[in-house]
Amino acid sequence: MGRKEDIIKKVNEIMDNKFEVEDIAYVPDIADSKLTFGNKGLRFEATVLHIDMRGSTKILNSHNRAIVAKIHMAYFHTIVKIAGFLGGYVRSFNGDSMLVFFPGTTKTTLSQAVKAAMNMKYMIIDEESGINKSLKKYSAIDFGIGLDDGKVLCTKIGIGGDSNNKGLFWAGNAVNKSVKISDLAKSPRQICISEYVYNNLNDDVKFVTKKNFIGQEEKINMWQCSSFTYNRQTENYYHTSYHWSI
């Protein structure tokens, strides 16, 4: 079979055959035996965290390649470790951005994802975190974080038998919206969440207790509401400048 005919045959198989979806309660990885290059996907519910490093071109132009590599290694290591501490799984490294999935359907799993975002912010930007000074001696890292929750469909894409030409594709509004919301940060290093996430937060990641001017303790909402356009509709999202120390 010629090269062109081989492509035509495979594309027709994909487009003409029924697509099978299996519901699961975990985050799949590339080695999952249930994922093949056939028409099958695994669907799960999770809170999706998207973090995007900004200003990478400036960093690249300011430092030699070895320094740029070190900055990215430290940044990625920090995100992966914090995600793991709180039940999250990093499954997509895309240039300067990462997708992290926190599987589950409860307020607790959702709130853990938001707490992870606050931990990530603390470790990268707070001078007392233990790594901030090491990072910013080269370049301060700017980033945006966005979170949404919902069903995610995972499929394997690429060519079987070639480990360098295969990967996982993640489809769903929760993925798309988390990316969109991370782009909405109006100030550096802001955390933004969808209205669904905000409405399902536990109080410990929604409110902070502070003393007012007469010394009485009062609850203060850490989040501010703004709006954006998604799928041609106006939706609310919430953003905060707070972070959570480890």
Side-chain angles (χ1 to χ4, degrees):
M1 185 181 293
R3 290 175 293 182
K4 179 179 178 182
E5 289 74 20
D6 178 61
I7 294 172
I8 292 171
K9 180 176 181 293
K10 183 61 178 179
V11 170
N12 286 337
E13 286 177 359
I14 293 171
M15 301 308 295
D16 294 341
N17 292 337
K18 182 180 178 181
F19 193 91
E20 179 186 352
V21 176
E22 180 179 345
D23 287 309
I24 58 174
Y26 61 90
V27 181
D29 61 27
I30 193 69
D32 196 309
S33 60
K34 293 182 178 181
L35 288 172
T36 68
F37 291 102
N39 278 14
K40 180 172 182 178
L42 300 178
R43 182 172 57 194
F44 61 98
E45 185 164 348
T47 304
V48 183
L49 183 157
H50 179 259
I51 180 168
D52 183 34
M53 183 194 292
R54 296 167 176 167
S56 56
T57 301
K58 181 179 178 181
I59 293 175
L60 183 62
N61 291 336
S62 301
H63 307 289
N64 63 47
R65 283 169 290 183
I67 297 299
V68 173
K70 287 168 64 174
I71 292 171
H72 280 72
M73 288 170 64
Y75 163 70
F76 284 129
H77 177 82
T78 300
I79 303 308
V80 171
K81 295 297 285 187
I82 291 173
F85 293 154
L86 291 164
Y89 299 85
V90 179
R91 285 289 187 265
S92 178
F93 295 88
N94 183 18
D96 298 321
S97 67
M98 280 178 278
L99 283 174
V100 189
F101 299 98
F102 295 80
T105 60
T106 68
K107 286 189 174 184
T108 297
T109 57
L110 188 151
S111 297
Q112 289 287 85
V114 174
K115 188 180 294 185
M118 290 184 167
N119 284 167
M120 293 170 188
K121 179 175 178 178
Y122 163 76
M123 286 301 295
I124 294 172
I125 74 166
D126 195 285
E127 292 189 356
E128 303 301 320
S129 72
I131 69 170
N132 170 264
K133 293 178 182 177
S134 295
L135 290 171
K136 74 177 186 179
K137 71 180 179 181
Y138 295 113
S139 287
I141 294 178
D142 185 19
F143 56 87
I145 301 178
L147 295 98
D148 189 29
D149 184 276
K151 297 281 189 178
V152 179
L153 180 65
C154 175
T155 60
K156 185 181 282 188
I157 57 175
I159 300 175
D162 187 345
S163 60
N164 293 313
N165 288 286
K166 63 182 178 182
L168 297 178
F169 174 68
W170 311 91
N173 278 324
V175 175
N176 292 344
K177 194 178 290 186
S178 69
V179 174
K180 174 72 172 177
I181 292 174
S182 71
D183 291 337
L184 295 173
K186 295 181 175 64
S187 62
R189 307 166 181 134
Q190 201 172 49
I191 299 168
C192 300
I193 60 177
S194 69
E195 185 169 43
Y196 180 87
V197 171
Y198 175 81
N199 288 338
N200 288 280
L201 284 180
N202 288 330
D203 281 358
D204 62 341
V205 285
K206 183 179 283 190
F207 301 102
V208 62
T209 301
K210 289 186 175 182
K211 289 186 177 181
N212 60 24
F213 69 98
I214 59 174
Q216 294 177 327
E217 289 190 344
E218 59 181 5
K219 273 187 175 181
I220 297 174
N221 195 329
M222 291 186 279
W223 302 89
Q224 294 179 298
C225 182
S226 296
S227 62
F228 73 114
T229 301
Y230 185 74
N231 285 341
R232 299 180 182 178
Q233 294 184 339
T234 300
E235 294 190 16
N236 290 332
Y237 75 99
Y238 292 78
H239 48 92
T240 186
S241 297
Y242 281 84
H243 59 261
W244 195 306
S245 63
I246 298 178

